Amino acid sequence: MQSQDKQETPVPLVSYIKILESKFDIKFSYINEDVENISIAVPNNLVSLNDILEYIQSQFQIKAQKLSDRYYTLTKTSLVTVCGKILDNFAENTIPGATVEVFGTEIAKTTSADGSFSLEDIPRNATLKIRYLGYNTKYIGVDNLINEGGCPLILMAQHYEQLKEVIVYKFLTTGIIKESDASITLNTGEFGILPGLIEPDILQTVQALPGIKSIDETVSDINVRGGTNDQNLILWNGIKMYQSGHFFGLISAFNPYLTDKITVIKNGTPAAFGDGVSSVVQMETDNELSTNFTGGAGFNFISGDIYGQIPVTDRIGLQFSARRSTTDFLNTPTYNKFFDRAFQDSKVTDQNNIAVDDDILRDENFFFYDFTGKLLFDINDYHKFRLNFISITNNLNYTENNLTNLETTNSLLNQDNLSIGGQLQSQWTDRFSSNVNVYYSRYNLDAQSLFANQIQILFQNNQVLENAIKLSADYALTDKLHWNNGYQYIETGITNTTFLTTPPFDSEIKGVVRIHAPHTEISYASDENKFIGKAGVRFNYMENLGTFANFLVEPRFNLNFRLANYLRGEVLGEFKSQTTNQIIDLEQNFLGIEKRRWILSDDETLPITKSKQGSIGINYSKNDFYLGLEAFYKEVDGISTNTQGFQNQGQFDGEIGSYDIKGIEFLVNKKSGNYSTWLSYTYNKNDYTFETIVPSSFPNNLDITHTLTFAGTYSYKNLQVGLGANFRSGKPFTEPQDGDLAFDNSVFPSRINYKSPNSSRLPEYIRVDASAIYKFNMGRNIKANMGVSILNMTNRKNSLNKYYQVSEDNEIEAVESISLGITPNVSFRVHF
């Protein structure tokens, strides 16, 4: 056994040399410094002098040379072989993949799976530098390692950093956090369950937050504090997205299973963000290399998807996700309900409130897909490069055969977004870091309609090309004070083409806006976080070639302070602007939301949109009980009736005006280990001002005065269930005048005479949703879950919109858009 082979107690090498001299009647010549501070335990099975001398050489790199039968020399070799095994400081876990380099040279290796390493022909006087993420860097002399003999254990201390207290509030469900700067963070990997959702659809999930909703039940028309969807800045890995939805906005276009974090900002936006006068929705995929292959796949009644993370080397990794709909070859109950919502669920009545029901035969071929890819390359411990790619596509071929008047209408739609971007993240010192983000993005919409047996043909194209470079640097002046600076250059080109055969019309409008935007921001956190604050300013120099050049200064501030134990206050404010908007073409057309087209501000027909916002709030959190109250005021100037979706006398005028909104947002949430219940309420008063319209002030198209949500989730072992009810007051709309005053036959074509804009309201909106998820293991490393959801489980026919049109018989018809009916969905997923 090994215990019998070795001496029980090591002895100094100097003493052992004297034992050898006496035992074998020889003499050794050596330098005392070469053999001092070395202890040796020679195995008992080594008895011959040659074996013992070879052992000394292998263990301590000390070479014995025979001069005569009696005299030997012992000398240290200048080049040695060194080995070792690296463990954490508890000597329990090996550290594979640690970097062991000969300091000052290019010689380096990484430790194997058991933490061991070996280096040959290394100078004895060299120093080893051992590094691994999360551990303190260790320096150790080669000679010191050799003196220990063999391949010694090297212990590394984990790196502990004294973190400041972070003020966050976790509410609603797991994975949703309100940060100290009032932003909301969604961590999809920790996400629990919400009523009506069986998968963490990103843009559906954010609508669970107070002040965020969709008037028309879509994800591509999200309204934040009374703003339109084009007033939201949506970013994916730092790239601006001009398309956010599938299936005409009913499904989010972003795969949630590789999206690590979503940040939603309603006010107090950091100076690094431009554009988007209503909000910022920033999505970031997992940014860390994975040491193991992980992934998953799943399907529901609309689509199937797959995703994965693949480690290529210890410094290179790949991520991918892909999803495709089943809608072009499989009809499911969910697809049928979504299709009815997009195309068929509208009710047309004449002026006598009698339903107009043509006999129509419909045929459609619709599908969508999306793909994302990411290359992760850690150049070294301090510099990381990331390459991101995303592609989103919707495709539709839709035909209506009117059997009453024997007319056929055919519509084709292709919508896609392709973006690629690169990021370089650098940590130059413990206090200074930088980030470079460069991207290219292209959005394209082709829509073609052939009306009335091709008597009229309409073709529309909308293309957006955007190039950007964004630079930022953060410097920690002290542990409490940080200074962030940056510069952004963004070039956006938009082309709008329209071709109509009857009456003949041909138009192509191109524009390019270039923005230069330096920005600076200072942030401070006092002891024990009694006060946390940010203040910054963004400078925008905007030019639309040949049209205008503007310089805007946009201050931002974000203050959070302790009022009492468990009670904090916040004050936020911002100035923002944007040069891209969406006009709404032919809203009566069945394509609805997808007929929105991006345009650029030109300072004439559409000025730069500008906003001012301020808010004040309080937050109380103790023992899993949260209460938040926030009041805000927002003013947005430079809007057009063309971008607001008017369907009345202001529909085609292109009037320029503004809107202001005053509101209160309230949320109370109680959680325990297995349940969470919450009540949220939002009050808004949202009014337009258009000086050239009579009256000049009237309710906004998105003026929803009261919004109330009551919901709860419950977990029992592997089962999660959620149930919630949503109520909101009706959307404003404009009715025709009463009686004979409703119709004007004196002009051609005939025209509807309307009442005061938005002077009527739709009935209140009520919807109850439910969902359930069951998790289980399919194998040692394979986890699975099944989910069932029901949207609008009471099958209430909610009215989403109502407008009026002139029929072919020269009569007024009312067109009412109806919400989703009762809509089931089922999903199955595996994760490995």
Side-chain angles (χ1 to χ4, degrees), residues 267 277 574-576 610-614 633-637:
N267 190 16
V277 297
E574 64 182 23
F575 282 48
K576 296 179 75 176
K610 306 172 187 176
S611 73
K612 304 173 184 177
Q613 182 177 190
Y633 173 78
K634 181 169 68 173
E635 180 182 308
V636 179
D637 189 31

Side-chain angles (χ1 to χ4, degrees), residues 578-589:
Q578 66 181 66
T579 58
T580 55
N581 294 271
Q582 282 183 318
I583 58 173
I584 303 174
D585 287 334
L586 303 177
E587 185 69 15
Q588 293 90 340
N589 188 286

Side-chain angles (χ1 to χ4, degrees), residues 763-824:
E764 66 277 359
Y765 176 98
I766 301 174
R767 195 174 94 175
V768 180
D769 302 327
S771 56
I773 298 175
Y774 181 74
K775 300 180 179 181
F776 56 96
N777 294 329
M778 294 185 63
R780 181 177 180 183
N781 297 314
I782 301 178
K783 297 181 179 180
N785 65 67
M786 293 187 66
V788 178
S789 69
I790 302 178
L791 299 176
N792 194 12
M793 59 189 301
T794 63
N795 203 28
R796 178 183 170 88
K797 301 296 183 182
N798 291 298
S799 179
L800 299 177
N801 191 29
K802 192 173 185 178
Y803 66 90
Y804 296 86
Q805 64 185 16
V806 179
S807 70
E808 293 181 357
D809 299 329
N810 219 27
E811 293 183 349
I812 297 177
E813 293 179 343
V815 182
E816 188 173 8
S817 178
I818 307 300
S819 68
L820 275 172
I822 183 170
T823 305

Side-chain angles (χ1 to χ4, degrees), residues 555-701:
R556 320 270 176 88
F557 66 89
N558 192 316
L559 311 177
N560 183 293
F561 43 88
R562 182 187 298 174
L563 297 173
N565 289 338
Y566 315 111
L567 184 67
R568 299 187 71 89
E570 57 189 28
V571 179
L572 303 94
E574 64 182 23
F575 282 48
K576 296 179 75 176
S577 63
Q578 66 181 66
T579 58
T580 55
N581 294 271
Q582 282 183 318
I583 58 173
I584 303 174
D585 287 334
L586 303 177
E587 185 69 15
Q588 293 90 340
N589 188 286
F590 73 90
L591 293 178
I593 183 67
E594 302 304 340
K595 292 306 290 291
R596 299 183 177 215
R597 298 199 289 173
W598 289 99
I599 61 171
L600 287 169
S601 298
D602 57 12
D603 220 25
E604 295 178 0
T605 58
L606 183 63
I608 297 171
T609 305
K610 306 172 187 176
S611 73
K612 304 173 184 177
Q613 182 177 190
S615 64
I616 183 170
I618 56 172
N619 301 285
Y620 176 85
S621 181
K622 182 182 179 183
N623 297 334
D624 293 324
F625 176 80
Y626 172 85
L627 186 149
L629 179 66
E630 186 172 7
F632 68 91
Y633 173 78
K634 181 169 68 173
E635 180 182 308
V636 179
D637 189 31
I639 63 171
S640 167
T641 55
N642 290 334
T643 66
Q644 297 296 303
F646 279 94
Q647 294 175 302
N648 50 28
Q649 60 267 50
Q651 182 172 355
F652 303 109
D653 294 343
E655 305 292 346
I656 303 301
S658 64
Y659 72 83
D660 62 85
I661 177 170
K662 310 173 186 70
I664 296 174
E665 297 168 0
F666 170 79
L667 175 66
V668 58
N669 179 212
K670 172 61 179 172
K671 294 192 303 179
S672 76
N674 59 354
Y675 79 88
S676 175
T677 182
W678 66 90
L679 173 71
S680 70
Y681 169 74
T682 302
Y683 168 81
N684 286 335
K685 189 177 186 307
N686 192 352
D687 293 318
Y688 285 126
T689 299
F690 289 96
E691 298 296 341
T692 57
I693 296 178
V694 179
S696 60
S697 182
F698 53 92
N700 192 302
N701 293 336

Side-chain angles (χ1 to χ4, degrees), residues 129-197:
K129 179 181 179 182
I130 306 174
R131 296 178 293 123
Y132 191 71
L133 188 64
Y135 290 80
N136 292 329
T137 299
K138 190 178 187 72
Y139 296 87
I140 187 168
V142 171
D143 202 35
N144 293 336
L145 282 179
I146 293 174
N147 289 347
E148 293 184 32
C151 297
L153 300 179
I154 302 171
L155 302 184
M156 293 189 70
Q158 294 187 14
H159 177 66
Y160 295 100
E161 189 172 330
Q162 184 67 36
L163 299 177
K164 298 178 182 178
E165 177 191 7
V166 179
I167 308 300
V168 297
Y169 308 105
K170 299 181 180 181
F171 53 77
L172 305 190
T173 188
T174 56
I176 301 181
I177 298 171
K178 181 173 182 180
E179 308 283 357
S180 62
D181 62 358
S183 66
I184 307 295
T185 298
L186 287 73
N187 296 303
T188 56
E190 304 173 10
F191 193 75
I193 189 172
L194 286 175
L197 292 181

Side-chain angles (χ1 to χ4, degrees), residues 48 114 116 163 195 211 233 273 291 296 351 379 402 439 453 517 590 717 755 771 792 819 828:
S48 71
D114 64 353
S116 62
L163 299 177
L233 173 62
F273 294 102
T291 56
Q351 56 194 2
I379 301 171
N402 191 321
Y439 70 82
N453 300 326
F590 73 90
K717 295 184 178 179
K755 294 180 180 179
S771 56
N792 194 12
S819 68
F828 174 76

